[in-house]
Amino acid sequence: MKKYFILTLSCLCWGSLQAQKQPQVWLTDVKQNILFVQQNNKSENLATGENTISIDPSKSYQSIDGFGYTLTGGSAQHLLAMEKSARKAILTELFATDKNNIGTSYLRLSIGASDLNDHVFSYNDLPEGETDLSMSKFDLGPDKKEIIPVLKEILAINPKVKLMGSPWSPPAWMKTNNATKGGSIKPEFYDAYALYFVKYIQTMKANGITIDAITVQNEPLHPGNNPSLLMLAADQAIFVKKHLGPIFKQHKINTKIIIYDHNADRPDYPISILDDKEAKPYIDGSAFHLYGGRIEALSKVHEAHPDKNIYFTEQWVGAPGNMAGDFPFHVKHLIIGATRNWARTVLEWNLAADGNYNPHTPGGCDRCLGAITIEGNKVTRNPAYYIIAQAAKFVRPGSVRIASNEVDGLANVAFKTPEGKTVLIVLNTGKEQKAFAIALQNKNTSYSLAPNATATFVW
C-alpha cells in the first residue's frame, strides 16, 4: 500500500496585501509532498496579467449540504476493530472542524448491504416462498452492531453530520429473480417495499439516528453488482408516485426522496421522472455518479427542473491509488465541477478498507481504496481523504456557492459560509506553474500554483 506523508513547506508566493486582509491558504501539491497544509503567508508581487479570478458575492446559487463519504459496513467493521482511543482519534480527525481536523459533514449509508459488506443481507430476509407485506419481521441486523455504534460515536463528535440512505437491493423475495443480484421488483410488492423504507427511517430514529434523505435505488441501471437491482425510469416513477411518496406522507416522514443515483450519462432518467406531474411533488432532487458521462449533465437536469435539487453521491478511487492523478481529477470534476453544476453534496465512495481492500461481497468491488486504510490501529490517509478535506473543512453545511469567473487553466469555485467567510478553491489544470490574482471586493491577492496543485483560500 502506497503511503502519503505530510510535509509542511512554506507558501509559494503572495501578493502585496495588508496582513489582516490576507486569506488563510491550505495547499495540496502532491509533487512537493504538501498534502492539505496551511501555508505561511509570504508577501511577493506577481505579474498575473489577465489571470484574475473575480469573486462576486452578490450572485448566489445553491446551498451546500456537505462533503463526505459512504460509511459502508466494512468501514464500520474496521473502525470497531481498533482500540477505542485510536478510533476516537481518527473519527475526531475526520469529523471535527477545529485544529487540523478535516470536518467531514455528510455520510451516505447503505440500506441493507452494499457490495462492501462482508456478506449480502437485507433487513427482511425470509425463507424461500415466504413474504412479509406488513414488515413485521423487519430488523436492522448487522447494522445494529456495526453501523449504528460507529454512527453514534461520529454524531457525538459532530451532531450536525447529515445522513443519506441508499439501497443496493430490496429483499430477494420481492424480486423477479428471487436473488440479491439483478432482477426487478415485482409490482405486487411495491407497497411492501415502500413500507420497508418507512421502517428503516423509523427504526434508525428509534436508535437516535436521523436519516436526512434516501435515494430510491443505488445505480438502478447496473444490475450486475452483488447486491443490485434493475429499476427503469418508468418503474421508478410509478414506485415514487403511487407507493413511496404516499406512504411517506401517510406516516409523516420528512426524509427527502432523491431519484436516480447513477451516472451523468443519463440525465434523461431523472428528467423523465420529474416531468411526471404526479411523481414530482414527492421528489426533492436527483443524485449522480461519474463513472460515465460528463459532470455538466447535472446542469441539464437543473435547467429542466430548477426547483429540484442536485446531489453528487459517489465516486470511487481505484486501488492502489495514485495521488498525483486521483487528486486533481476528483477536485476538478467533483469538488469544483459538481458544485459548479449545482450539486449540494460531493461524496466519495468508501470511508475505510484494509490493505487488501476488504471486505466485499462475492462479486463486489475488490479494488475499492478507502479514504483511509486501517490495519490494526494504524491509519494511512489515501487520495479521497485529501480530496474531501480540501472542501469540507471550510465549506460548511449551509454555505452558498457564489459567482467566480472561469479562467483558462485555473478551475475554481467560490462559496460564502454561514459565518460570513468567503472560500475559494482553485486547481491549476495546466502543465506549467501559474500565477494569478484574486479579486474580492476590496481584497486583492496574488498567488502561484504548480501544475495539479490546489489551494483553498479562506477570508
Side-chain angles (χ1 to χ4, degrees):
M1 171 61 62
K2 185 175 180 180
K3 301 176 183 177
Y4 301 104
F5 298 94
I6 298 177
L7 298 176
T8 305
L9 301 182
S10 62
C11 170
L12 297 177
C13 34
W14 277 95
S16 56
L17 190 65
Q18 293 180 3
Q20 65 268 26
K21 291 185 179 180
Q22 290 185 353
Q24 290 185 37
V25 179
W26 289 68
L27 178 68
T28 298
D29 185 342
V30 177
K31 287 189 176 180
Q32 296 194 64
N33 287 324
I34 305 172
L35 301 179
F36 195 55
V37 179
Q38 186 173 4
Q39 301 302 288
N40 296 317
N41 295 0
K42 177 183 175 184
S43 294
E44 185 173 333
N45 289 321
L46 297 173
T48 57
E50 296 180 356
N51 295 329
T52 298
I53 299 171
S54 298
I55 303 172
D56 185 355
S58 70
K59 296 178 181 178
S60 60
Y61 304 94
Q62 81 277 19
S63 294
I64 299 299
D65 286 348
F67 298 85
Y69 310 96
T70 296
L71 177 67
T72 60
S75 298
Q77 286 180 347
H78 291 308
L79 287 161
L80 288 172
M82 302 176 80
E83 293 178 4
K84 186 175 181 179
S85 60
R87 182 172 64 253
K88 183 177 181 181
I90 189 58
L91 290 179
T92 299
E93 181 180 328
L94 285 164
F95 293 95
T97 58
D98 61 345
K99 303 176 182 176
N100 286 329
N101 303 312
I102 69 169
T104 301
S105 51
Y106 206 107
L107 287 174
R108 185 171 177 237
L109 313 170
S110 63
I111 299 176
S114 77
D115 60 311
L116 294 190
N117 280 82
D118 61 5
H119 68 288
V120 178
F121 66 89
S122 79
Y123 301 136
N124 198 327
D125 290 325
L126 301 174
E128 188 174 351
E130 291 188 18
T131 63
D132 180 19
L133 302 185
S134 66
M135 289 294 117
S136 61
K137 297 180 181 178
F138 182 95
D139 191 285
L140 290 176
D143 284 0
K144 292 187 292 188
K145 62 179 182 179
E146 296 170 353
I147 293 291
I148 289 175
V150 172
L151 279 177
K152 287 185 174 180
E153 292 188 28
I154 290 169
L155 293 170
I157 294 166
N158 183 352
K160 294 182 179 180
V161 171
K162 287 189 175 183
L163 304 173
M164 172 187 289
S166 300
W168 266 238
S169 173
W173 56 266
M174 296 184 183
K175 300 172 70 176
T176 54
N177 62 353
N178 295 306
T180 60
K181 180 179 177 180
S184 299
I185 308 174
K186 295 178 180 178
E188 59 263 36
F189 294 129
Y190 277 6
D191 277 336
Y193 193 39
L195 184 58
Y196 181 90
F197 281 91
V198 170
K199 289 289 187 181
Y200 170 70
I201 293 163
Q202 291 176 333
T203 309
M204 291 294 274
K205 186 69 173 179
N207 282 276
I209 295 164
T210 299
I211 302 300
D212 180 69
I214 58 95
T215 67
V216 179
Q217 172 61 36
N218 172 69
E219 299 191 343
L221 299 178
H222 175 34
N225 201 357
N226 186 24
S228 62
L229 177 80
L230 176 65
M231 187 181 241
L232 301 179
D235 297 326
Q236 190 162 123
I238 291 169
F239 179 64
V240 168
K241 71 182 179 182
K242 298 294 186 184
H243 307 275
L244 188 62
I247 203 169
F248 270 31
K249 185 176 181 180
Q250 175 189 339
H251 288 271
K252 299 180 180 178
I253 300 292
N254 295 321
T255 301
K256 302 177 183 76
I257 295 173
I258 299 171
I259 57 171
Y260 190 45
D261 204 8
H262 207 167
N263 290 332
D265 58 353
R266 290 294 304 275
D268 60 298
Y269 187 116
I271 289 172
S272 70
I273 299 174
L274 292 170
D275 284 345
D276 188 317
K277 294 181 181 179
E278 290 182 74
K280 184 174 181 177
Y282 295 116
I283 297 167
D284 174 84
S286 313
F288 293 86
H289 308 173
L290 195 62
Y291 306 116
R294 294 173 58 83
I295 199 66
E296 290 79 10
L298 280 61
S299 282
K300 292 182 180 179
V301 180
H302 169 80
E303 289 160 8
H305 292 275
D307 55 332
K308 296 299 178 181
N309 293 315
I310 300 289
Y311 301 87
F312 191 91
T313 49
E314 182 188 315
Q315 194 74 12
W316 82 321
V317 173
N322 172 19
M323 186 70 176
D326 294 329
F327 182 84
F329 176 89
H330 285 242
V331 170
K332 177 181 177 180
H333 293 284
L334 308 187
I335 299 299
I336 296 172
T339 55
R340 285 194 82 103
N341 286 278
W342 298 94
R344 297 174 68 96
T345 60
V346 174
L347 309 181
E348 291 282 326
W349 179 214
N350 51 317
L351 178 62
D354 67 13
N356 295 314
Y357 323 118
N358 288 319
H360 56 82
T361 63
C365 180
D366 62 359
R367 304 294 291 174
C368 284
L369 180 66
I372 57 173
T373 297
I374 300 176
E375 295 175 288
N377 290 325
K378 181 182 177 183
V379 174
T380 303
R381 293 150 189 83
N382 299 319
Y385 172 96
Y386 296 102
I387 293 160
I388 292 301
Q390 202 73 44
K393 185 172 180 67
F394 301 108
V395 187
R396 302 305 302 159
S399 297
V400 176
R401 179 169 67 94
I402 55 176
S404 62
N405 62 310
E406 297 185 75
V407 176
D408 185 44
L410 294 170
N412 71 86
V413 65
F415 305 90
K416 179 70 76 174
T417 74
E419 299 77 25
K421 293 182 179 179
T422 302
V423 180
L424 176 70
I425 302 170
V426 184
L427 165 70
N428 180 357
T429 61
K431 296 181 179 180
E432 305 291 338
Q433 184 91 13
K434 193 146 190 161
F436 57 96
I438 304 170
L440 172 61
Q441 297 172 328
N442 64 335
K443 304 166 186 174
N444 296 311
T445 303
S446 59
Y447 200 74
S448 181
L449 281 174
N452 292 325
T454 296
T456 298
F457 301 85
V458 185
W459 289 265

